[in-house]
């Protein structure tokens, strides 16, 4: 990272900040929301003010050589404090303890930043350094102390956060809290990178103290990319447990929406005389899935006169005899009954009797039952529907089983074609 490439991660973080701004507005009183806001803002600002073009402009506007270094030190200190505060609230505990630890870290960060300002004001750094401020002024009075304080606080913060995240991640792995667990694992990696950044800086500065500049590349060329990647991963790690469940919910809704399509289309002749449900294009996936399940429920009510209880009971006995669990047997029975009802309804509409071969046994003999005897579907509970399956997920599983029976090429399908 040598120039304007600093602005690329800054732009990504700024976009994340804009996307999250509505939730920040609605949850402004939440300490966690404030901490995430600080982390995003400081990460983006760190890249912006750490870019050589920005350093040159800030120094020229303020008329103070190398003041950008002081600004970046303060920004990164705020980032570290925000990460610690968020982690404290994230972990939870007694309210008074959480509040006390939060105030302690904020106060400590304030003291460190004030010390930066005092040391910088006492120093003499007339030559502008856009990329190698730390090594160039490693032996300058007061700046030397400022650099040591900065790197020491950075190292300590990285160690504390990485250790806490690792311990908590191990606890959550046993509790199977996937999103939070992986967020913490990412944070361990992120703060491991920031720790590496501080250690490389220390090595380069230490080499300067020893009288050589042979290790300056560690500070100017290798450390900055590590800091950039660490800051980006820090943002991802903190946002993943917040955004992850939402993404998971959207994925589940999308799968259910797609899974319900075969049954939804098969029941289309029973949609009734009313106008179809209109869904806005901007509607969420959850709303779309719920609307489709509602339409299926309405169509099943219209199909109810054709549902045969005897077929349902025979289908359930057949599934149970093949080793299916009770819930899986119910799903299978309902799907087979709906399939047979559609055949019967079509035959009745054509004015023909349902062929004898279209009975329950004919349907069951060709319906696919897994060799394991376990159909990966469960009922969501009793409902007012003419079937024993309800809910978005339940109807999605019912639709999957219905599709298997419909594709199996049963005698019911053949008889139905003969009756048309």
């Amino acid at each position: 990272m040598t120039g304007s490439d600093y602005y690329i991660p800054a732009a990504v973080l700024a976009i994340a900040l804009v996307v999250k701004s509505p939730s920040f507005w609605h949850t402004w009183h939440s300490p966690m929301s404030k901490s995430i806001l600080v982390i995003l803002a400081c990460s983006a600002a760190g890249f912006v003010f750490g870019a050589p073009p920005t350093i040159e402009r800030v120094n020229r506007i303020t008329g103070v050589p190398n003041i950008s270094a002081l600004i970046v030190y303060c920004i990164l200190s705020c980032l570290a404090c925000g990460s610690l505060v968020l982690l404290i609230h994230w972990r939870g505990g007694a309210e008074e303890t959480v509040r006390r630890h939060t105030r302690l870290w904020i106060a400590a960060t304030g003291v460190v930043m004030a010390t930066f300002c005092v040391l910088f004001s006492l120093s003499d750094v007339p030559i502008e350094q856009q990329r190698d401020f730390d090594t160039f002024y490693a032996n300058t009075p007061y700046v030397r102390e400022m650099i040591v304080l900065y790197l020491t606080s950075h190292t300590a913060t990285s160690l504390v956060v990485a250790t806490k995240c690792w311990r908590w991640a191990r606890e959550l792995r046993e509790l199977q809290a996937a999103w939070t667990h992986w967020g913490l694992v990412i944070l361990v990696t992120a703060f491991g990178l920031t720790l590496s950044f501080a250690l490389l800086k220390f090595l380069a500065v230490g080499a300067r103290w020893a009288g050589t500049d042979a290790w300056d590349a560690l500070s100017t060329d290798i450390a900055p990319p590590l800091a950039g990647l660490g800051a980006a991963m820090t943002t991802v790690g903190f946002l993943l447990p917040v955004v992850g469940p939402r993404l998971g919910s959207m994925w589940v809704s999308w799968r259910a929406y797609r899974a319900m399509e075969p049954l939804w289309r098969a029941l289309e002749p029973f949609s009734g005389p009313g106008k179809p449900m209109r869904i806005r294009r901007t509607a969420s996936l959850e709303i779309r899935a719920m609307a489709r399940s509602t339409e299926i429920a309405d169509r099943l009510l219209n199909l109810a006169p054709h549902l045969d209880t005897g077929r349902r009971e025979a289908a359930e006995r057949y599934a149970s005899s093949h080793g299916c669990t009770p819930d899986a047997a119910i799903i299978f029975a309902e799907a087979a009954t709906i399939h047979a009802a559609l055949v019967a309804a079509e035959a009745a509409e054509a004015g023909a009797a349902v062929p004898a071969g279209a009975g329950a046994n004919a349907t069951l003999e060709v319906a696919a039952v897994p060799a394991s005897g376990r159909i990966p579907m469960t009922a969501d509970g009793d409902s007012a529907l003419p079937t024993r399956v309800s809910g978005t997920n339940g109807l999605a599983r019912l639709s999957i089983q219905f599709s298997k029976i419909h594709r199996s090429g049963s005698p019911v399908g053949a008889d139905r074609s003969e009756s048309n």
Side-chain angles (χ1 to χ4, degrees), residues 14-32:
I15 292 173
L17 188 60
V18 171
V19 171
K20 290 292 295 179
S21 58
S23 63
F24 291 145
W25 177 261
H26 291 101
T27 59
W28 177 245
H29 296 291
S30 168
M32 294 184 65

Side-chain angles (χ1 to χ4, degrees), residues 157-391:
T157 301
S158 300
L159 278 174
V160 169
V161 176
T163 302
K164 288 182 177 293
C165 289
W166 177 249
R167 290 176 179 173
W168 193 15
R170 293 180 63 183
E171 295 176 10
L172 292 179
R173 181 176 57 186
E174 298 174 359
L175 297 176
Q176 296 182 343
W179 290 111
T180 304
H181 168 75
W182 285 112
L184 290 169
V185 171
I186 292 174
L187 286 175
V188 171
T189 305
F191 282 96
L193 291 172
T194 58
L195 178 61
S196 300
F197 162 84
L199 293 178
L200 289 174
K201 287 276 188 180
F202 256 132
L203 287 174
V205 170
R208 282 284 186 149
W209 293 341
T212 177
D213 60 357
W215 291 15
D216 282 7
L218 295 178
S219 176
T220 57
D221 298 329
I222 301 178
L226 292 178
L229 182 58
M233 292 185 68
T234 298
T235 304
V236 173
F238 279 122
L239 289 180
L240 186 63
V242 179
V243 179
R246 171 61 179 162
L247 294 177
S249 175
M250 292 173 63
W251 173 247
V252 170
S253 297
W254 170 249
R255 291 186 62 185
Y257 179 81
R258 295 291 298 171
M260 285 186 288
E261 185 172 1
L263 183 59
W264 177 73
R265 290 193 179 280
L267 292 171
E268 193 169 2
F270 296 89
S271 57
K275 294 182 179 180
M277 187 178 300
R278 298 183 61 182
I279 304 297
R280 293 182 301 176
R281 292 185 177 181
T282 57
S284 65
L285 292 173
E286 291 86 351
I287 292 178
R288 291 180 181 276
M290 188 178 299
R292 177 162 285 185
S293 67
T294 300
E295 290 181 339
I296 290 176
D298 292 340
R299 295 173 183 184
L300 284 174
L301 288 174
N302 295 330
L303 180 67
H306 301 281
L307 296 175
D308 189 332
T309 303
R311 294 174 187 266
R312 175 184 290 139
E313 294 174 351
E316 188 170 354
R317 287 195 302 270
Y318 174 85
S320 297
S321 68
H322 281 72
C324 291
T325 63
D327 288 342
I330 289 175
I331 291 286
F332 179 83
E334 298 300 332
T337 304
I338 291 172
H339 182 269
L342 288 172
V343 174
E346 187 173 342
E349 184 178 356
V354 180
N361 292 335
T363 301
L364 299 175
E365 289 173 0
V366 298
V369 177
S372 63
R374 297 180 63 87
I375 301 175
M377 303 169 188
T378 61
D380 284 349
D382 297 331
S383 68
L385 293 177
T387 68
R388 292 168 292 174
V389 182
S390 64

